[in-house]
Amino acid sequence: MKLYLDPGHGGSDPGAQGNGLVEKAVVLDIALRIRRILTENYKDVVVKMSRTDDSTKSLQQRTNEANSWGATYYFSIHCNAFNGSAHGYEDYIHSSLSDASQTAGYRNSIHTEISRIYQLNNRGKKKGNFHVLRETSMAAMLTENGFIDNEQDAALMQEPSWRERVALGHVNGLAKAFNLQSKTEPNTIFRVIAGSFKLRGNAEDRSIALKSQGIKSFIDRITISGEQWYRVQAGAFTSRENAENRLSEVLNAGVEDAFIVTD
């Protein structure tokens, strides 16, 4: 699979703004997380990004680049804005496409997976005549990840743990839509790590905080590069999907440095 990943706006085009946030920065962070999760965990995936920093790039440049590269899929990442009262998640395919089209089928899988782990109101699956959906020669989808001028949505956007969860939803959707194969071997164990600490007392504090949120954990002592660390483990699973569900619970509990390890 060749994914053209397009964080909207950038450089001289800030996109939507509100509550101290700028769209171009939020969507770049989400897109970089999507690339990392996708390439670390799935086989035969190549990701080309329209931008990896705060640079200016026209819509025509983006679609020309994706078309010339021969991308399998065009994924455009955005945040919304309206009048401060609208809130939630929605996504788009081109208005000329039927609900029975292949592009709509891809979108159905992705929408389901994103919605499953979101904390946002689901505003539904929509269609539009956006340039990146109209001028691409491959299947394309645009996601609007909350309203930056809405106080509640913006509060979520400010959290790295929320942006990680958003990225994970996008990746899970792509994996389902394109039947991506995991890099992990059979019988792999997926462990959810809710923090690693040099001091055992800090690890114990984290474990207590998780327990107060109804999440069981234990402390495991490991050695990394000759140094001793205390790692808080919040579950071990044979299914990546189950591990990701637990990771989402841990992130929702306010643990921003949680991650999954395999062995």
Side-chain angles (χ1 to χ4, degrees):
M1 178 195 185
K2 296 172 69 175
L3 176 67
Y4 191 87
L5 184 58
D6 177 24
H9 309 285
S12 61
D13 176 13
Q17 301 176 67
N19 295 293
L21 296 170
V22 180
E23 181 182 3
K24 65 177 182 178
V26 174
V27 299
L28 177 59
D29 183 79
I30 292 171
L32 289 169
R33 292 171 186 271
I34 291 171
R35 183 180 67 173
R36 172 181 53 79
I37 298 170
L38 191 61
T39 56
E40 284 181 355
N41 294 290
Y42 291 96
K43 300 176 182 178
D44 303 321
V45 178
V46 181
V47 180
K48 186 178 186 66
M49 294 183 64
S50 61
R51 63 185 182 93
T52 57
D53 56 19
D54 186 20
S55 55
T56 302
K57 200 167 196 175
S58 72
L59 294 176
Q60 192 66 57
Q61 286 175 311
R62 296 171 198 236
T63 54
N64 284 350
E65 187 172 72
N67 291 339
S68 297
W69 185 50
T72 308
Y73 197 62
Y74 191 107
F75 216 3
S76 189
I77 314 300
H78 287 260
C79 298
N80 230 327
F82 184 56
N83 61 3
S85 62
H87 61 99
Y89 167 80
E90 62 193 26
D91 48 48
Y92 290 83
I93 59 174
H94 192 256
S95 52
S96 66
L97 296 170
S98 76
D99 292 338
S101 66
Q102 184 181 59
T103 298
Y106 290 151
R107 191 265 290 274
N108 289 342
S109 296
I110 295 169
H111 181 95
T112 297
E113 290 302 314
I114 292 176
S115 301
R116 188 169 64 85
I117 65 172
Y118 246 128
Q119 292 173 277
L120 293 177
N121 172 48
N122 187 348
R123 294 170 57 88
K125 295 177 282 188
K126 302 184 178 183
K127 297 180 182 180
N129 190 31
F130 301 123
H131 176 96
V132 297
L133 303 179
R134 184 183 64 249
E135 301 300 327
T136 41
S137 57
M138 70 293 300
M141 175 176 171
L142 183 148
T143 63
E144 293 279 9
N145 298 279
F147 283 74
I148 204 166
D149 58 350
N150 177 272
E151 186 174 349
Q152 285 136 334
D153 283 9
L156 292 172
M157 290 180 197
Q158 290 173 346
E159 297 296 328
S161 59
W162 182 83
R163 299 193 298 273
E164 181 77 4
R165 188 161 52 252
V166 170
L168 182 59
H170 283 67
V171 171
N172 289 348
L174 287 167
K176 289 287 177 65
F178 292 92
N179 194 29
L180 300 180
Q181 300 302 304
S182 173
K183 287 183 177 179
T184 56
E185 299 296 329
N187 304 318
T188 295
I189 301 299
F190 301 90
R191 303 183 189 279
V192 179
I193 306 304
S196 296
F197 305 90
K198 295 296 294 292
L199 299 178
R200 183 177 181 88
N202 292 339
E204 290 172 347
D205 289 343
R206 174 63 56 81
S207 185
I208 291 169
L210 288 170
K211 185 177 181 181
S212 71
Q213 298 284 331
I215 300 172
K216 295 181 180 180
S217 65
F218 69 90
I219 299 170
D220 183 26
R221 188 171 63 184
I222 64 170
T223 301
I224 302 174
S225 300
E227 294 188 324
Q228 184 171 277
W229 291 82
Y230 296 93
R231 194 167 67 177
V232 181
Q233 182 172 309
F237 306 87
T238 57
S239 160
R240 172 171 284 278
E241 182 175 357
N242 290 340
E244 288 170 350
N245 288 338
R246 174 56 56 83
L247 176 63
S248 182
E249 292 174 4
V250 173
L251 292 170
N252 283 338
V255 179
E256 296 184 358
D257 54 345
F259 57 95
I260 295 173
V261 297
T262 59
D263 56 40

